[in-house]
């Protein structure tokens, strides 16, 4: 949500009407996307201070206890680590030491780089960047806005997959038979995630059929005039609740961004801040929603139980959401000073609030211990 070269930027740009440059508006809103930036900063603060919430630390403690009971070094990580966490301490089935492999760091990094490069190439291809002689031709930036993310991501991921298998076989990191077996195991691992996604999309369709989007749109639009200074914070909360209930951040963009554009004139600072609040709130609600596709894919990729992933990530997201809400209040109150001054004051206030929140949380944890 803070990357202008992405399908997210293209989605947001698509909801901007009236001939305005949606990508330029997206870029202007990036400095005010407090939730995204503060999440990254909060994670770094947790790493540096060693603090962690009990919802997550209990799984780390169980894993360390298992290692100590079996006489392993804590830096020895096996491919069954996550199953150890799920099945409890001292599971006999997972007591074998990890096998020696021929893998290297490059075997992880290079495929990821290829995936990013080819997915971006696939997106600009679907957006008409390579059709120089066609009427559908777009330049590099506009091709992202006009891209078909589904087509581009399929092209990019399939190309990266084929090249990765070729690289592993040539380097003899994996045998060809083993690489093909990994494909089958991958499909098997994705079956639960696909089922949850199907049910989540069904629930989302039912919510849309009930007219939730129209209801929220009417309530926000009718109350916007009298609460202009506090509107960014209100939009943030509404977007977070809407994305949590529906499991989609892109759908939330489609509901709230047109409202923000309609309420404020083109040159108003609150226009940019409110759009940022909409994007930040949508991502926040998407993070904590158990029916969101990103949440479901995260738990599937980590091979942990979905309900455990949702419950253990909630304290992180809600802490940053609380700080972001107060920061949007500051941004709304200081918007009269101009965008640059408002952004600077808001950032300083937000960082101070993050430090205060982490300090209070550490003291509460120390008292309980």
């Amino acid at each position: 949500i803070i990357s202008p070269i992405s399908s997210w930027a293209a989605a947001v740009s698509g909801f901007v009407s009236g001939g305005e440059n949606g990508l330029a508006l997206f870029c202007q809103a990036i400095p005010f996307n407090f939730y995204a930036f503060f999440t990254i900063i909060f994670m770094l603060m947790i790493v540096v201070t060693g603090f962690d919430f009990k919802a997550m630390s209990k799984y780390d403690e169980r894993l360390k206890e298992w290692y100590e009971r079996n006489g392993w070094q804590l830096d020895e990580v096996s491919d069954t680590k996550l199953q150890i966490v799920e099945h409890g301490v001292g599971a006999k089935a997972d007591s074998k030491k990890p096998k020696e492999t021929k893998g290297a760091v490059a075997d992880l990094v290079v495929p990821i780089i290829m995936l990013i490069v080819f997915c971006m190439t696939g997106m600009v291809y679907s957006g008409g960047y390579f059709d120089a002689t066609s009427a559908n031709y777009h330049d590099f930036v506009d091709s992202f806005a006009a891209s078909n993310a589904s087509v581009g991501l399929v092209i990019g991921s399939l190309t990266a997959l084929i090249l990765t298998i070729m690289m592993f076989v040539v380097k003899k990191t994996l045998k060809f038979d083993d690489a093909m077996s990994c494909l089958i195991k991958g499909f098997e691992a994705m079956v639960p995630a696909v089922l949850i996604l199907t049910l989540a999309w069904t629930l989302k369709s039912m919510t849309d059929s009930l007219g939730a989007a129209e209801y929220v749109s009417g309530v926000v639009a009718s109350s916007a005039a009298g609460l202009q200074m506090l509107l960014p914070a209100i939009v943030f909360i509404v977007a977070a609740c809407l994305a949590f209930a529906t499991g989609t951040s892109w759908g939330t963009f489609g509901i709230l961004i047109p409202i923000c554009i309609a309420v404020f004139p083109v040159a108003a600072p609150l226009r940019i801040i409110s759009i940022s609040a909409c994007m930040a709130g949508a991502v926040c609600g998407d993070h904590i929603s158990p029916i969101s596709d990103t949440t479901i894919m995260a738990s599937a990729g980590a091979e942990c139980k979905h309900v455990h992933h949702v419950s253990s990530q909630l304290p992180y997201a809600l802490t940053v959401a609380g700080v972001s809400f107060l920061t949007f209040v500051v941004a709304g109150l200081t918007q009269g000073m101009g965008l640059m001054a408002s952004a600077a004051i808001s950032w300083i206030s937000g960082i101070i609030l993050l430090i205060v929140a982490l300090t209070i949380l550490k003291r509460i944890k120390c008292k309980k211990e």
Side-chain angles (χ1 to χ4, degrees):
I1 199 59
I2 55 177
S3 172
I5 307 299
S6 67
S7 57
W8 289 68
V12 173
S13 302
F15 296 121
V16 178
S17 57
E20 192 172 359
N21 190 325
L23 190 60
L25 195 62
F26 178 90
C27 294
Q28 286 179 300
I30 289 175
F32 290 94
N33 202 319
F34 302 121
Y35 178 79
F37 286 110
F38 288 172
T39 297
I40 299 170
I41 294 171
F42 189 56
M43 289 299 101
L44 293 174
M45 291 168 64
I46 284 178
V47 170
V48 171
T49 60
F51 169 81
D52 212 348
F53 291 100
K54 187 177 180 181
M56 186 65 207
S57 61
K58 64 181 181 181
Y59 293 109
D60 290 331
E61 290 168 5
R62 286 168 60 183
L63 182 63
K64 289 177 183 178
E65 186 180 350
W66 188 92
Y67 272 75
E68 289 167 2
R69 283 190 183 183
N70 288 275
W72 288 16
Q73 297 295 321
L74 292 182
D75 59 350
E76 290 182 5
V77 181
S78 73
D79 58 354
T80 55
K81 178 184 70 172
L82 293 161
Q83 278 71 31
I84 295 168
V85 176
E86 292 299 328
H87 298 307
V89 175
K92 292 181 180 179
D94 297 322
S95 59
K96 294 181 181 179
K97 288 195 175 184
K99 297 178 180 178
E100 291 293 330
T101 65
K102 299 178 182 179
V105 175
D107 295 328
L108 170 66
V109 176
V110 173
I112 292 176
I113 293 174
M114 287 196 297
L115 180 66
I116 295 171
V117 171
F118 286 115
C119 283
M120 289 177 61
T121 305
M123 287 180 64
V124 296
Y125 169 78
S126 66
Y129 178 67
F130 297 105
D131 295 336
T133 59
S134 171
N136 297 323
Y137 171 75
H138 296 92
D139 61 27
F140 188 79
V141 174
D142 291 338
S143 63
F144 271 99
S147 67
N148 186 332
S150 300
V151 174
L153 294 177
V154 168
I155 293 172
S157 57
L158 185 60
T159 306
L161 175 64
I162 294 171
L163 292 178
T164 299
I165 292 174
M166 290 172 62
M167 182 183 76
F168 285 168
V169 172
V170 170
K171 290 181 61 180
K172 297 183 179 179
T173 304
L174 278 178
K175 294 180 180 178
F176 182 77
D177 292 345
D178 294 336
M180 293 298 103
S181 298
C182 288
L183 290 177
I184 298 171
K185 291 177 182 177
F187 278 111
E188 290 175 354
M190 289 310 300
V191 169
V194 170
L195 290 175
I196 298 174
L197 276 174
T198 304
L199 296 173
W201 287 331
T202 304
L203 181 60
K204 177 189 176 300
S205 299
M206 289 299 298
T207 307
D208 291 342
S209 301
L210 291 171
E214 290 76 7
Y215 173 75
V216 173
S217 175
V219 171
V220 175
S222 61
S223 61
L227 298 168
Q228 284 202 1
M229 296 301 181
L230 298 177
L231 190 60
I234 294 172
V235 169
F236 176 78
I237 292 296
V238 172
C241 294
L242 194 59
F244 174 81
T246 60
T248 170
S249 51
W250 286 23
T252 305
F253 299 154
I255 295 168
L256 294 182
I257 287 180
I259 296 174
C260 296
I261 290 174
V263 169
F264 299 108
V266 174
L270 272 177
R271 181 191 184 97
I272 302 297
I273 300 172
S274 296
I275 290 174
S276 299
C278 172
M279 292 190 290
V283 172
C284 174
D286 193 89
H287 271 174
I288 60 180
S289 175
I291 61 171
S292 164
D293 53 356
T294 49
T295 309
I296 294 165
M297 295 302 291
S299 58
E303 296 182 22
C304 66
K305 290 183 180 177
H306 183 60
V307 66
H308 290 177
H309 170 61
V310 173
S311 61
S312 60
Q313 77 168 352
L314 271 176
Y316 302 98
L318 292 179
T319 301
V320 180
V323 172
S324 300
F325 171 78
L326 296 174
T327 309
F328 277 116
V329 172
V330 174
L333 296 174
T334 59
Q335 54 86 28
M337 302 178 181
L339 280 176
M340 294 296 291
S342 178
I345 295 171
S346 301
W347 266 86
I348 294 170
S349 303
I351 297 296
I352 293 172
L353 287 170
L354 269 183
I355 295 171
V356 170
L358 186 59
T359 303
I360 293 173
L361 289 169
K362 285 190 71 175
R363 288 185 177 179
I364 292 173
K365 186 176 181 180
C366 288
K367 280 186 178 182
K368 286 183 178 180
E369 290 176 347

